[in-house]
Amino acid sequence: MGNFVTAYALLTDFLKFHGHERVFREPPPNLLHAVPLLVVARFGGVDTAVTIDRPRVQVDVYASTEDTAEQLGGTIRTLMRTRLPGRMFGGAVVGQVGTMMAPQLLPYAASGVFKVSARYELAVHQYTGIS
């Protein structure tokens, strides 16, 4: 068996497929001029079996208005819950997606930028072939 597919690689591919091209590991230095964008980071999770990973991921949305950030956060949540299960990527398939923390508007220090954050738990089965 190879390495687990990273949650960042899987979600970046998925989000770009659905038209969200600006996906990063951390906010870029030119954040004020780069919004709207998404930041995806794994913050935990376990591998419950040799071939099953359960990554916990945080998806942050940055936008120039509160409404845009909240709407985009809701759109991402809908995509994660309805379109991500069954998605195959790099030798893995997503079985389930659960919302751990629904998208919520959070204070953000940068003037003119608004942040919505959500957390999800995925069940990712690593394909090992047929024996």
Side-chain angles (χ1 to χ4, degrees):
M1 185 178 115
N3 293 331
F4 283 109
V5 171
T6 69
Y8 178 79
L10 188 153
L11 290 176
T12 298
D13 179 74
F14 169 75
L15 292 165
K16 287 184 177 184
F17 178 81
H18 287 284
H20 302 283
E21 294 292 326
R22 304 185 56 70
V23 181
F24 300 90
R25 290 184 184 273
E26 59 185 44
N30 65 337
L31 182 61
L32 182 61
H33 303 290
V35 292
L37 61 86
L38 307 172
V39 172
V40 173
R42 181 175 183 154
F43 68 89
V46 297
D47 53 345
T48 56
V50 174
T51 59
I52 299 175
D53 190 20
R54 297 191 66 84
R56 292 180 175 188
V57 295
Q58 182 165 318
V59 179
D60 295 330
V61 172
Y62 295 86
S64 59
T65 70
E66 291 174 327
D67 288 342
T68 301
E70 288 179 322
Q71 289 169 0
L72 185 52
T75 297
I76 299 304
R77 180 183 188 188
T78 299
L79 286 173
M80 295 276 293
R81 298 285 289 138
T82 64
R83 300 287 174 93
L84 186 54
R87 172 85 171 176
M88 290 184 269
F89 174 78
V93 63
V94 178
Q96 295 176 314
V97 178
T99 303
M100 297 177 64
M101 181 181 82
Q104 61 181 328
L105 189 63
L106 298 175
Y108 192 69
S111 178
V113 176
F114 297 89
K115 176 182 176 181
V116 165
S117 188
R119 290 183 169 194
Y120 305 93
E121 183 176 58
L122 314 177
V124 182
H125 181 268
Q126 307 293 317
Y127 181 75
T128 58
I130 300 171
S131 33

